Amino acid sequence: MSKNQNDLPFREVAETFDSMEKITSRISLTQLLVKLIKDTPPEVIGKVVYLIQGRLGPDWKDIPELGVGEKLIIQALSIAFGKTEQEVNKIYNSVGDLGKVAESFSQSKQKKSSLMAFIGSESSYLTVGRVFDSFLKIAYSQGEGSRDLKLRLIAGLLKDAQPIEARYIVRFLEGRLRLGIGDATILDALSISYGGSTSYREIVERAYNLRADLGEIAYIIATQGIESIKELKPEIGTPIRPMLAERLSDPEEILQKVQGKGFVEYKYDGERGQFHKDGDNVRIFSRRLEDITDMYPDVVEAIKNSVKSNKVIFEGEIVAYDTDTGELRPFQELMHRRRKYDIQKMVEEIPVKAFLFDVLLNEDEDLTRKTLPYRRKILENIVNETDKINIAKYIETDDPKTLWNFFLTAISEGAEGVMVKAIHDESIYRAGVRGWLWIKLKRDYKSEMTDTVDLVAVGGFYGRGRRGGKIGTLLFAAYDPENDVFRTVCKVGSGYTDDDLNKMYDLFKPYIIDHKHPRVESSIEPDLWFEPVRVAEIIGAELTLSPLHTCCYNKLKEGAGLSIRFPRFIRWREDKGPEDATTEEELIEMYNGQLKKIEEKQTKEEVQGS
Ligand SMILES: Nc1ncnc2c1ncn2[C@@H]1O[C@H](COP(=O)(O)OP(=O)(O)OP(=O)(O)O)[C@@H](O)[C@H]1O
């Protein structure tokens, strides 16, 4: 057989797959892979790696599905081997594996052809290049006429295949390769093949974490040598595997873990986005590295307008928010944006903004090896904050109490908790690694709000956007009968109808005063103070501790009051006077009565993947 120096006979791949099916030890699997990789010319190493993974490229490349069903394969087999579809079906029913059916047809054809001295023919052996490119063509042929094209391509491959090749071509097309080779084994095999041992494993893995495309990494190593990847930088357009956080619940322990001092940032409850900006071209990758650009055209536009650098990769959390009040909305609302159609409608219905928290490449500077404070400086320098693009709220602290208060504030403002991040000399961006440089602090318990409360309006804030110039948010308080005072619980900007909003100013006009009412205790300063007169029915998602509000202050926890997360106005209670409002005691009972440990039931990843 005359060999093409730049390609590999597909037979070698098929034979390796066959051997792999027969063994169970990971070491032997790795050895088989090493042999295959060593035999593969650099030109097709990427393709071989994808074939091993049973795919045509990394997921984020959005290569279409092959779109090959059982029926199509049966038809292709009948064309390739001159059988009727009934004949193919009959054998398939008894064997139960289309790959095996293809192999046996190919075998009988070979027997016949051997009589005509067909075997060993120089002209017609399959190469990895041809097989892979045919697979790609099959995937990309869509729409009218695509079925015929797919059929011709598959039959063409099967006609020229050796029996063992036919088996794996069919298995691949069916998506049933199931070799059980994980990324880790491929990384080991690459390190041994090109570096002589697994001592290069860490470097290879880092490269893969920086550029989540194993085929590309293999190609770079094969063509430029394994040493070259030590200096590998992130590349715009190729997602970086995200850095992840460990979890702890004690502020003191957390600070110890980050060597005493760190940045404490809001942990926003949205969808992580990795933004790749190259001039006017912006792409967004999800935490699972899917390309989610099309779902967020508004974020793409906002980034173009507020990020000064030309070439930059950065990360942030995309969060749903209320344009009239600026309040953050729960993660569940954002999930309505996860769709392929009617995007424009969703853009209007579920407005979002991005809170940026890291930058990994700026122009040509690889920032993944720089410290967090350095990266944060760059982020602040290259971003003009707007309504849509913000830098994540953060403080720098070495004090557990300050950390805890910031955590409570974050939650009452709609965040999920905080991320505490190391800022010492080793505080690099560790792509693809879950470690102690980032530690998340979330609630262990939550008190779900199952009932409404009646609260007294004590102040008002002017709205933004559509509500500019009008009162759009009210400050509400609960009653303390013992001291005859009203203490604040929450700001409410949601749930009002347009009619409610239009009438708001007139409703409160008689009660506006130019100072805080003596019966009101508040550490929040609204735009307008009211006499505590009007009562409203309010519902929320949760009752939560908050240092911002004076209700129940120091009664449940030192330094914190009680607040309502995601509160919503239901209606005015014209029948109630301020002294009939829900009392502090009642709120404490509600809080304690509903306090439940948070089960780590469904991770966000599962929700997003569904
Ligand atoms: N300021 C922030 N810094 C880093 N990540 C943040 C920040 N705000 C929100 N996040 C989100 O928190 C996630 C980090 O938490 P973690 O590493 O535990 O990821 P996870 O496994 O998806 O867990 P979780 O379910 O808690 O989001 C990030 O993936 C990101 O989506």
Side-chain angles (χ1 to χ4, degrees):
M1 214 187 283
S2 73
K3 261 189 149 181
N4 176 349
Q5 295 303 317
N6 304 327
D7 211 329
L8 181 77
F10 183 66
R11 185 174 183 140
E12 268 205 51
V13 173
E15 279 171 354
T16 309
F17 287 179
D18 179 55
S19 311
M20 282 176 173
E21 274 185 18
K22 294 177 187 137
I23 54 170
T24 50
S25 108
R26 182 158 176 256
I27 295 178
S28 320
L29 276 182
T30 313
Q31 281 165 350
L32 284 171
L33 278 185
V34 169
K35 178 167 182 319
L36 179 63
I37 291 170
K38 281 187 172 164
D39 285 350
T40 303
E43 288 79 1
V44 290
I45 185 67
K47 294 177 180 174
V48 166
V49 166
Y50 297 140
L51 289 174
I52 294 167
Q53 292 182 305
R55 52 171 62 163
L56 296 173
D59 283 346
W60 55 265
K61 279 207 171 145
D62 264 349
I63 298 169
E65 297 275 317
L66 281 156
V68 175
E70 209 169 70
K71 242 171 139 181
L72 198 71
I73 295 179
I74 290 171
Q75 258 183 311
L77 285 169
S78 98
I79 296 171
F81 300 108
K83 310 270 179 195
T84 65
E85 280 179 46
Q86 284 88 333
E87 281 174 299
V88 181
N89 266 314
K90 201 169 150 211
I91 312 257
Y92 176 37
N93 286 337
S94 69
V95 177
D97 174 347
L98 276 176
K100 288 261 164 72
V101 176
E103 186 172 15
S104 75
F105 284 160
S106 178
Q107 254 155 3
S108 12
K109 177 181 151 193
Q110 213 174 47
K111 272 188 204 138
K112 273 192 213 147
S113 333
S114 67
L115 296 175
M116 295 175 266
F118 177 80
I119 271 203
S121 153
E122 302 242 330
S123 58
S124 63
Y125 77 92
L126 286 181
T127 62
V128 163
R130 173 168 165 209
V131 173
F132 192 88
D133 293 347
S134 300
F135 286 168
L136 271 184
K137 274 189 207 147
I138 291 167
Y140 279 105
S141 73
Q142 313 240 326
E144 217 182 308
S146 65
R147 203 185 143 79
D148 281 350
L149 180 59
K150 286 183 203 263
L151 201 55
R152 256 184 286 132
L153 286 162
I154 301 171
L157 285 178
L158 291 174
K159 258 188 208 157
D160 293 340
Q162 299 284 324
I164 197 168
E165 294 175 326
R167 188 199 317 158
Y168 287 102
I169 287 169
V170 167
R171 292 240 173 107
F172 192 96
L173 291 171
E174 282 185 297
R176 292 180 49 178
L177 207 51
R178 300 207 187 111
L179 296 173
I181 304 286
D183 289 354
T185 311
I186 301 179
L187 291 171
D188 275 350
L190 287 172
S191 161
I192 298 168
S193 310
Y194 296 113
S197 75
T198 48
S199 60
Y200 278 93
R201 166 63 199 263
E202 216 172 290
I203 298 162
V204 178
E205 185 164 347
R206 179 177 179 275
Y208 179 41
N209 284 334
L210 281 187
R211 295 198 197 175
D213 182 342
L214 259 187
E216 187 191 325
I217 296 298
Y219 179 74
I220 295 171
I221 300 176
T223 50
Q224 296 167 32
I226 198 153
E227 288 290 330
S228 73
I229 57 163
K230 282 187 181 162
E231 299 310 318
L232 199 76
K233 289 186 196 170
E235 188 173 65
I236 301 222
T238 304
I240 300 171
R241 292 156 79 79
M243 175 164 175
L244 299 171
E246 287 288 355
R247 181 175 180 168
L248 282 177
S249 51
D250 175 24
E252 207 165 326
E253 199 183 344
I254 294 178
L255 284 173
Q256 272 165 14
K257 281 274 186 201
V258 294
Q259 298 182 15
K261 193 162 81 173
F263 284 172
V264 185
E265 299 172 6
Y266 274 28
K267 183 177 194 306
Y268 294 96
D269 197 7
E271 166 155 39
R272 186 177 188 148
Q274 190 177 93
F275 309 96
H276 290 230
K277 175 182 182 289
D278 190 357
D280 265 351
N281 186 5
V282 176
R283 284 173 80 186
I284 312 176
F285 296 102
S286 73
R287 180 185 185 284
R288 297 155 56 116
L289 312 186
E290 306 140 306
D291 189 331
I292 50 171
T293 314
D294 289 346
M295 288 173 205
Y296 298 110
D298 43 350
V299 179
V300 167
E301 215 37 53
I303 284 174
K304 278 194 225 165
N305 297 329
S306 65
V307 178
K308 289 180 249 173
S309 295
N310 198 37
K311 274 171 64 181
V312 53
I313 302 178
F314 50 94
E315 284 195 319
E317 191 85 350
I318 301 172
V319 189
Y321 82 113
D322 184 324
T323 43
D324 296 329
T325 61
E327 283 166 17
L328 303 180
R329 304 299 307 152
F331 166 73
Q332 287 72 13
E333 283 187 23
L334 181 75
M335 282 302 95
H336 297 298
R337 288 288 289 263
R338 283 217 140 222
R339 52 156 78 195
K340 293 222 156 66
Y341 310 101
D342 288 336
I343 302 278
Q344 212 42 50
K345 192 167 144 238
M346 278 300 127
V347 165
E348 279 151 38
E349 279 177 22
I350 319 275
V352 300
K353 57 162 89 182
F355 290 94
L356 308 182
F357 54 75
D358 220 320
V359 55
L360 313 176
L361 182 84
N362 183 38
E363 307 300 5
D364 273 330
E365 188 179 12
D366 174 4
L367 297 170
T368 59
R369 297 170 198 261
K370 299 286 167 59
T371 64
L372 180 60
Y374 183 90
R375 304 201 300 275
R376 180 56 52 91
K377 269 262 139 42
I378 303 253
L379 191 60
E380 283 164 5
N381 286 342
I382 63 173
V383 174
N384 283 328
E385 289 193 74
T386 63
D387 262 8
K388 293 273 174 196
I389 304 288
N390 291 274
I391 289 175
K393 240 191 206 177
Y394 77 105
I395 52 167
E396 182 181 327
T397 191
D398 56 3
D399 174 32
K401 217 168 189 164
T402 310
L403 193 168
W404 184 250
N405 273 348
F406 196 67
F407 163 74
L408 294 178
T409 308
I411 286 174
S412 63
E413 292 195 339
E416 232 194 331
V418 289
M419 298 286 281
V420 183
K421 298 183 177 176
I423 51 175
H424 50 64
D425 290 351
E426 313 274 297
S427 59
I428 58 167
Y429 185 92
R430 300 197 60 203
V433 177
R434 189 183 290 281
W436 294 103
L437 291 177
W438 287 10
I439 303 169
K440 58 184 162 181
L441 174 60
K442 300 206 278 190
R443 288 154 303 157
D444 292 332
Y445 289 87
K446 73 172 170 183
S447 179
E448 254 161 45
M449 211 172 158
T450 48
D451 208 355
T452 61
V453 287
D454 298 319
L455 301 174
V456 188
V458 297
F461 300 84
Y462 291 115
R464 316 178 184 177
R466 276 187 316 139
R467 294 192 205 165
K470 291 183 193 164
I471 300 174
T473 298
L474 298 174
L475 180 62
F476 280 99
Y479 185 48
D480 170 7
E482 208 175 304
N483 298 294
D484 191 28
V485 292
F486 298 94
R487 300 205 178 95
T488 72
V489 181
C490 56
K491 280 160 65 176
V492 182
S494 304
Y496 308 110
T497 62
D498 284 347
D499 193 42
D500 291 330
L501 289 165
N502 288 334
K503 291 183 181 152
M504 196 82 92
Y505 189 80
D506 288 339
L507 198 66
F508 281 98
K509 209 167 157 195
Y511 311 115
I512 295 175
I513 44 179
D514 61 4
H515 57 275
K516 186 166 63 178
H517 192 276
R519 286 172 74 206
V520 170
E521 286 183 11
S522 170
S523 47
I524 292 174
E525 187 81 17
D527 297 332
L528 297 167
W529 286 111
F530 305 147
E531 282 178 55
V533 177
R534 297 211 65 99
V535 178
E537 188 174 352
I538 306 289
I539 185 79
E542 259 174 72
L543 285 165
T544 186
L545 298 172
S546 163
L548 301 177
H549 289 281
T550 49
C551 171
C552 311
Y553 201 78
N554 280 344
K555 290 193 178 161
L556 286 156
K557 199 129 210 170
E558 213 187 291
L562 203 59
S563 174
I564 297 175
R565 258 185 117 211
F566 302 125
R568 200 156 39 82
F569 170 86
I570 298 179
R571 62 185 174 122
W572 292 111
R573 293 294 309 253
E574 309 290 355
D575 55 331
K576 284 202 169 184
E579 288 82 13
D580 301 319
T582 304
T583 62
E584 279 197 322
E585 281 307 311
E586 284 172 311
L587 281 173
I588 290 177
E589 260 168 53
M590 277 175 89
Y591 177 80
N592 288 328
Q594 298 297 329
L595 202 61
K596 286 199 198 87
K597 192 160 174 53
I598 298 175
E599 302 289 338
E600 287 283 315
K601 26 183 192 293
Q602 209 183 16
T603 66
K604 199 183 275 179
E605 203 183 329
E606 279 165 349
V607 176
Q608 290 174 348
S610 62

